[in-house]
Amino acid sequence: MENPAPAVFLYGAPEDYANYRAALTSAGLRPVVSRSLAAALGCEALLLPGGGDIHGSLPPEESFLLHVFWDAHRPILGICRGMQALNVFRGGTLHDRIAGHQQPSGDMLHPTCAEGPLASLLGSCPTVNSNHHQAVARLGDGLRLCQWSADGIAEGLYAPQRPVLGVQWHPERQSFGLRRPDAVDAAPVFRWLRGALTNTDAPLYNRK
């Protein structure tokens, strides 16, 4: 009997996050979207998706999820607001308003510089999308930056001793069925999550 795909939890209504669900499924993972925190406890990984602004502390549900998965060394992938939430959870701060990373409709595209885990996944100069006005300012405890835009805005971070990765951009909008020719293929970000669950990509996050 074939083993079921590893479950990845997203906090929200079951009909939410269609692009995230499609990307996870394409990577061989099983998305579980629910507002039940008990459902999260049976999942192997956590995905923190994009969303609204963060002002001050995180919502209690999000703090709970981050504590559970961080403390248990379970894989966490933060995307856009999710990367910002990771940083705030670890005591970091955010820039509330930055210019040049958002337009009235659709995604911007811009080149970035990557090192460490994201360079291993995407190359050293990946072009990514952008649609945000908040960004990481002071880095949180236990996190390291590994990707930047040309104007110095943080585009990616990781935790050296945990399977934790955050990207400021939206890999679900430039991979698999939404792969675009003018940006890097972001499917390796989701394959990293699958690999972290099977420990095949341990070197990507076990760095000194």
Side-chain angles (χ1 to χ4, degrees):
M1 185 174 177
E2 198 172 307
N3 291 329
V8 180
F9 186 80
L10 296 89
Y11 182 77
E15 66 273 14
D16 290 345
Y17 305 125
N19 289 344
Y20 295 91
R21 288 188 277 113
L24 289 168
T25 300
S26 295
L29 298 165
R30 179 168 57 91
V32 175
V33 185
S34 174
R35 295 198 186 279
S36 166
L37 296 179
L41 301 180
C43 293
E44 289 90 342
L46 173 67
L47 193 156
L48 299 170
D53 290 355
I54 298 173
H55 297 294
S57 59
L58 298 176
E61 298 86 357
E62 197 166 37
S63 292
F64 172 83
L65 290 169
L66 277 162
H67 273 293
V68 166
F69 283 83
W70 179 277
D71 293 347
H73 288 243
R74 295 190 204 177
I76 301 172
L77 174 60
I79 293 176
C80 197
R81 183 195 180 280
M83 171 172 144
Q84 297 165 10
L86 268 170
N87 193 57
V88 170
F89 167 69
R90 297 302 299 163
T93 62
L94 302 178
H95 295 296
D96 195 46
R97 290 280 166 183
I98 59 168
H101 285 259
Q102 193 176 51
Q103 58 189 22
S105 63
D107 288 333
M108 298 176 61
L109 291 176
H110 61 81
T112 66
C113 176
E115 64 181 31
L118 283 172
S120 297
L121 294 171
L122 306 173
S124 59
C125 299
T127 296
V128 300
N129 55 41
S130 183
N131 193 345
H132 63 101
H133 59 258
Q134 288 190 310
V136 167
R138 188 184 74 244
L139 198 60
D141 183 51
L143 302 175
R144 291 186 187 175
L145 295 178
C146 58
Q147 188 183 16
W148 301 262
S149 60
D151 57 357
I153 296 300
E155 295 284 344
L157 56 75
Y158 72 111
Q161 300 304 319
R162 279 175 166 78
V164 172
L165 185 67
V167 292
Q168 181 57 65
W169 43 285
H170 284 270
E172 80 284 2
R173 298 209 291 257
Q174 58 181 79
S175 60
F176 302 111
L178 297 179
R179 174 81 172 93
R180 50 189 303 166
D182 51 356
V184 72
D185 181 6
V189 171
F190 295 99
R191 294 190 182 114
W192 166 86
L193 186 60
R194 184 186 63 195
L197 285 165
T198 60
N199 207 36
T200 58
D201 283 343
L204 290 181
Y205 59 82
N206 189 21
R207 294 176 180 268
K208 300 296 184 184

